[in-house]
C-alpha cells in the first residue's frame, strides 16, 4: 500500500534541514529551462500577432500550469519525480509511466533544436555560413550534448550552480540587451518591419493558418513543472516553489513578448531564420549603432545561456524515468544511480538516442523545416503529458480532501475546475493546430506535412505501450516466484 502523502511530506520536511538550491537559483533554473532566447525567432515569424498569442497562451496554458504545479509540488512534496509522482497518486502506475514517458521522449526530439541554435550561434564566431551546413550542425550537436551529459553525471549541485550562472550571463543579460536595443530603435523612429496597430495585433482567427502561431507560442511556455523533481533539494519547498513559479511566470511573459518583437522589428518575415535569427538581429542592431565589435561577446553569452538551459532538461526527466524503472516499467539496470545520486545509465541511453535523432537534419530539405518539425513534434508530445497533469490536478483535489495544501489554487473547487479547464483547452487547441505547417516551410515532393507529422507521433508513442506490457509481464513473474 502506498504511504499517505501527508505523512511522507512531514518525514521529508523533518529530514531536509539544509538547502541545496536557494530561491534565486531555483528561479534561474525554472526560467532558464523555459525562457530561452533561442525561441524568439519562431514566434517572431508571426509578426505583431505574437502579442495576442502570447497573452492567450499565458491565459490558457502558462498560468494554469504554474498554478497546478505550485499546488501539486507544495502539497505532494515527497512525490519525487514531479509529474510521475502526481499522476501516480491520481491514476496509478500505468498512466504515471505514460506521463513520464511523454515528458522524457519529448526532450529526445527537442534537444537537436536547441543544440542547433548553439551550433548556429557558435558559427558566428567562426564563419556565419556554417549555420546552414548540416555536417557542421551534426558535429557540434553531438559533441555538445555528450559534454553536457558528462557534466550532469557529476550531480545536481554542480549542474544547478552552472545553470544559475548561465541563466544570468547567457539569458537575462542578452534578453535585456536585445529588448533595450529594440526599444531604442523604436523610440528613435527607425523603420519597423511590422505594424503595431490594433488591426495587426489581433489575428484573423477564421484563417486556420494563423493558428499555427499557437504552436510556436506554446513551445515558449513548456517546462514550468519541470523543476518539481527537485522539490526535495530546496529548503521549505511549500513556500519556495510557489514563490519561484510566480516570479518565473512574470519574467517569462515579459521577456518572451518583448524579445520576439525585437526580432520582428528589424527582420522581414521571409528573412527570419529559425536557427540563426537571434544572431541576425543582434548583428543588425549592433551594426546600426556601430557596435559590431561586441558581436562575439554576445555570441559567447548566448552559448552560455543555451547550455545552462539544457541542464534541467537533461537531468529532470531522466530522474522521473528512473523511478519508472524502479517500478518495473523498464529493466531494473536502468534504475541504477552513481555515487552522485544520478541515474547514469539513463543519461547515457538518452545521449545515444539524441545522437540518432540528429539524423533528422538529413531527411528534410532545409534546416528551417527540420527545426520546425522537431519543435512541433516535441510540443505535441509534451501537450499530451500536460493533459494528464491537469486531469491529475482535478483528481487529487477530490481524492485527498483532508490533506493540507500549503499553496492552493484560488477559488476552491470553482477555481481548480476553471484553472484545469483552461489548461485542457490550451492543450487541445495546440494539439489540433500542430498538424498545420507554416506556409513558408518547404517539404520533399511526395511528402505531406500532416502525414510525416503523424508518423513521427506514432513512432514516439508506441514504445510506451510496449513498456507497459513489459511491466505487466515482470509483475506476473514476480508473483509466480513469490
Amino acid at each position: 500500500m502506498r504511504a499517505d502523502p501527508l505523512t511522507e511530506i512531514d518525514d521529508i520536511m523533518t529530514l531536509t534541514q539544509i538547502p541545496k538550491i536557494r530561491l534565486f537559483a531555483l528561479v534561474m533554473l525554472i526560467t532558464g529551462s523555459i525562457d530561452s532566447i533561442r525561441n524568439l525567432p519562431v514566434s517572431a515569424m508571426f509578426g505583431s500577432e505574437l502579442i495576442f498569442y502570447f497573452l492567450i497562451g499565458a491565459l490558457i496554458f502558462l498560468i494554469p500550469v504554474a498554478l497546478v504545479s505550485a499546488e501539486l509540488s507544495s502539497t505532494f512534496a515527497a512525490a519525487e519525480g514531479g509529474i510521475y509522482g502526481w499522476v501516480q497518486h491520481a491514476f496509478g502506475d500505468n498512466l504515471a509511466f505514460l506521463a513520464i514517458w511523454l515528458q522524457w521522449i519529448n526532450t529526445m526530439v527537442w534537444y537537436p533544436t536547441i543544440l542547433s541554435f548553439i551550433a548556429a550561434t557558435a558559427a558566428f564566431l567562426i564563419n556565419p555560413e556554417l549555420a546552414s551546413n548540416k555536417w557542421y550542425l551534426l558535429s557540434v550537436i553531438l559533441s555538445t550534448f555528450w559534454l553536457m551529459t558528462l557534466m550532469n553525471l557529476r550531480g545536481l549541485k554542480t549542474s544547478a550552480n552552472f545553470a544559475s550562472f548561465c541563466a544570468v550571463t547567457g539569458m537575462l543579460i542578452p534578453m535585456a540587451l536585445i529588448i533595450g536595443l529594440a526599444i531604442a530603435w523604436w523610440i528613435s523612429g527607425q523603420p519597423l518591419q511590422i505594424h503595431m496597430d490594433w488591426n495587426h495585433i489581433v489575428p484573423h482567427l477564421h484563417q486556420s493558418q494563423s493558428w499555427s502561431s499557437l504552436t510556436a507560442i506554446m513551445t515558449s511556455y513548456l517546462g514550468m513543472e519541470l523543476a518539481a523533481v527537485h522539490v526535495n533539494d530546496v529548503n521549505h519547498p511549500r513556500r519556495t516553489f510557489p514563490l519561484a513559479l510566480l516570479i518565473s511566470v512574470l519574467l517569462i511573459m515579459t521577456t518572451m513578448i518583448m524579445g520576439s518583437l525585437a526580432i520582428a522589428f528589424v527582420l522581414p518575415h521571409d528573412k527570419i531564420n529559425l536557427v540563426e535569427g537571434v544572431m541576425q538581429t543582434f548583428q543588425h542592431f549592433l551594426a546600426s549603432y556601430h557596435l559590431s565589435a561586441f558581436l562575439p561577446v554576445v555570441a559567447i553569452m548566448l552559448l552560455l545561456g543555451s547550455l545552462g538551459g539544457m541542464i534541467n532538461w537533461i537531468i529532470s526527466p531522466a530522474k522521473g524515468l528512473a523511478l519508472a524503472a524502479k517500478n518495473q516499467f523498464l529493466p531494473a539496470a536502468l534504475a541504477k544511480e552513481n555515487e552522485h545520486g544520478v541515474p547514469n545509465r539513463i543519461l547515457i541511453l538518452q545521449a545515444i538516442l539524441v545522437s540518432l535523432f540528429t539524423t533528422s537534419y538529413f531527411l528534410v530539405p532545409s534546416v528551417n523545416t527540420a527545426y520546425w518539425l522537431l519543435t512541433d513534434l516535441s510540443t505535441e508530445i509534451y501537450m499530451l503529458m500536460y493533459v494528464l497533469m491537469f486531469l491529475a490536478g482535478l483528481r487529487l483535489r477530490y481524492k485527498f480532501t483532508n490533506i493540507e495544501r500549503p499553496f492552493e489554487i484560488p477559488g476552491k473547487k470553482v477555481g481548480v475546475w476553471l484553472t484545469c479547464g483552461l489548461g485542457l483547452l490550451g492543450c487541445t487547441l495546440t494539439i489540433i493546430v500542430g498538424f498545420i505547417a507554416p506556409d513558408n516551410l518547404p517539404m520533399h515532393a511526395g511528402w505531406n506535412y500532416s502525414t510525416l507529422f503523424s508518423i513521427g507521433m506514432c513512432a514516439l508513442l508506441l514504445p510506451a505501450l510496449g513498456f507497459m506490457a513489459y511491466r505487466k509481464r515482470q509483475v506476473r513473474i514476480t508473483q509466480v516466484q513469490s
Side-chain angles (χ1 to χ4, degrees), residues 38 74 80 104 112 136 171 217 268 306 333 348 362 380 395 419 424-425 431:
R38 66 104 191 171
S74 63
E80 293 188 21
W104 183 75
Y136 165 79
M171 189 272 291
I217 302 308
S306 298
I348 296 298
F362 297 89
E380 298 299 277
R395 172 65 174 154
T419 300
L424 290 170
L425 173 63
I431 291 170

Side-chain angles (χ1 to χ4, degrees), residues 87-231:
V87 177
Q88 185 183 49
H89 278 305
F91 301 117
D93 295 328
N94 281 336
L95 287 182
F97 172 73
L98 178 59
I100 195 60
W101 173 263
L102 292 170
Q103 187 185 65
W104 183 75
I105 199 64
N106 134 77
T107 61
M108 297 300 99
V109 183
W110 171 81
Y111 288 132
T113 64
I114 188 171
L115 287 164
S116 63
F117 173 80
I118 291 173
T121 304
F124 273 80
L125 297 172
I126 310 169
N127 179 4
E129 293 181 1
L130 288 174
S132 299
N133 186 301
K134 294 178 181 179
W135 288 105
Y136 165 79
L137 291 174
L138 178 64
S139 60
V140 175
I141 285 172
L142 293 181
S143 58
T144 302
F145 192 80
W146 279 95
L147 285 173
M148 298 301 291
T149 297
L150 293 176
M151 177 177 291
N152 271 279
L153 290 173
R154 297 184 58 83
L156 175 65
K157 186 175 181 179
T158 299
S159 59
N161 290 337
F162 178 73
S164 296
F165 169 76
C166 290
V168 174
T169 306
M171 189 272 291
L172 291 182
I173 294 177
M175 192 75 83
L177 179 60
I178 198 172
I179 292 172
L181 289 169
I183 292 174
W185 184 271
W186 192 5
I187 292 176
S188 63
Q190 297 289 340
L192 303 181
Q193 296 295 329
I194 59 175
H195 299 282
M196 294 299 292
D197 58 273
W198 181 258
N199 290 332
H200 288 86
I201 291 176
V202 178
H204 301 289
L205 300 181
H206 63 278
Q207 297 177 358
S208 60
Q209 177 62 31
S210 68
W211 282 98
S212 62
S213 309
L214 192 61
T215 299
I217 302 308
M218 292 303 198
T219 299
S220 303
Y221 284 158
L222 297 176
M224 178 60 72
E225 83 300 334
L226 200 65
V229 297
H230 300 315
V231 71

Side-chain angles (χ1 to χ4, degrees), residues 293-305:
F294 291 97
L295 190 62
V297 177
V298 172
I300 293 172
M301 288 194 296
L302 291 175
L303 287 173
L304 288 173

Side-chain angles (χ1 to χ4, degrees), residues 176-478:
L177 179 60
I178 198 172
I179 292 172
L181 289 169
I183 292 174
W185 184 271
W186 192 5
I187 292 176
S188 63
Q190 297 289 340
L192 303 181
Q193 296 295 329
I194 59 175
H195 299 282
M196 294 299 292
D197 58 273
W198 181 258
N199 290 332
H200 288 86
I201 291 176
V202 178
H204 301 289
L205 300 181
H206 63 278
Q207 297 177 358
S208 60
Q209 177 62 31
S210 68
W211 282 98
S212 62
S213 309
L214 192 61
T215 299
I217 302 308
M218 292 303 198
T219 299
S220 303
Y221 284 158
L222 297 176
M224 178 60 72
E225 83 300 334
L226 200 65
V229 297
H230 300 315
V231 71
N232 292 333
D233 299 305
V234 299
N235 202 23
H236 307 300
R238 293 177 172 180
R239 296 195 302 269
T240 303
F241 260 80
L243 180 58
L245 289 172
L246 173 62
I247 297 171
S248 299
V249 165
L250 297 176
L251 274 174
I252 291 164
M253 285 187 62
T254 302
T255 54
M256 290 306 297
I257 292 176
M258 298 185 69
S260 299
L261 286 174
I263 295 178
F265 278 177
V266 297
L267 295 183
H269 172 270
D270 58 348
K271 299 297 183 181
I272 297 177
N273 185 294
L274 299 186
V275 176
E276 54 185 308
V278 173
M279 287 305 299
Q280 286 178 313
T281 305
F282 272 116
Q283 189 176 41
H284 186 96
F285 277 138
L286 294 177
S288 299
Y289 294 115
H290 307 290
L291 298 172
S292 297
F294 291 97
L295 190 62
V297 177
V298 172
I300 293 172
M301 288 194 296
L302 291 175
L303 287 173
L304 288 173
S306 298
L307 292 173
M310 286 181 58
I311 287 291
N312 205 30
W313 288 94
I314 290 177
I315 188 63
S316 296
K319 290 177 69 174
L321 202 64
L323 289 177
K326 292 176 182 178
N327 208 13
Q328 297 182 296
F329 282 101
L330 302 171
L334 293 177
K336 300 291 184 181
E337 298 179 346
N338 63 14
E339 65 273 17
H340 301 292
V342 174
N344 54 311
R345 296 183 180 182
I346 288 180
L347 287 183
I348 296 298
L349 174 62
Q350 73 181 22
I352 294 172
L353 290 176
V354 168
S355 301
L356 295 176
F357 271 115
T358 57
T359 59
S360 63
Y361 281 101
F362 297 89
L363 301 179
V364 291
S366 71
V367 173
N368 257 18
T369 303
Y371 192 96
W372 179 267
L373 178 61
L374 292 179
T375 299
D376 200 2
L377 274 173
S378 171
T379 302
E380 298 299 277
I381 291 293
Y382 216 160
M383 283 299 157
L384 294 176
M385 186 220 73
Y386 281 115
V387 169
L388 290 174
M389 190 189 83
F390 286 122
L391 292 176
L394 283 171
R395 172 65 174 154
L396 291 172
R397 178 63 73 92
Y398 287 90
K399 186 174 182 179
F400 298 104
T401 55
N402 297 322
I403 193 172
E404 179 188 354
R405 288 177 166 81
F407 174 84
E408 185 173 298
I409 296 173
K412 301 186 181 298
K413 291 183 179 180
V414 173
V416 73
W417 273 97
L418 178 61
T419 300
C420 293
L422 285 172
L424 290 170
L425 173 63
C427 293
T428 303
L429 286 175
T430 307
I431 291 170
I432 292 173
V433 302
F435 288 85
I436 304 172
D439 291 331
N440 59 342
L441 291 183
M443 295 297 296
H444 275 306
W447 278 107
N448 176 273
Y449 183 85
S450 297
T451 301
L452 185 61
F453 185 80
S454 299
I455 292 173
M457 288 282 287
C458 291
L460 297 174
L461 291 172
L462 285 177
L465 300 179
F467 285 123
M468 288 181 188
Y470 171 84
R471 196 251 186 180
K472 185 177 181 180
R473 179 174 176 272
Q474 292 300 110
V475 170
R476 190 184 307 116
I477 292 174
T478 302

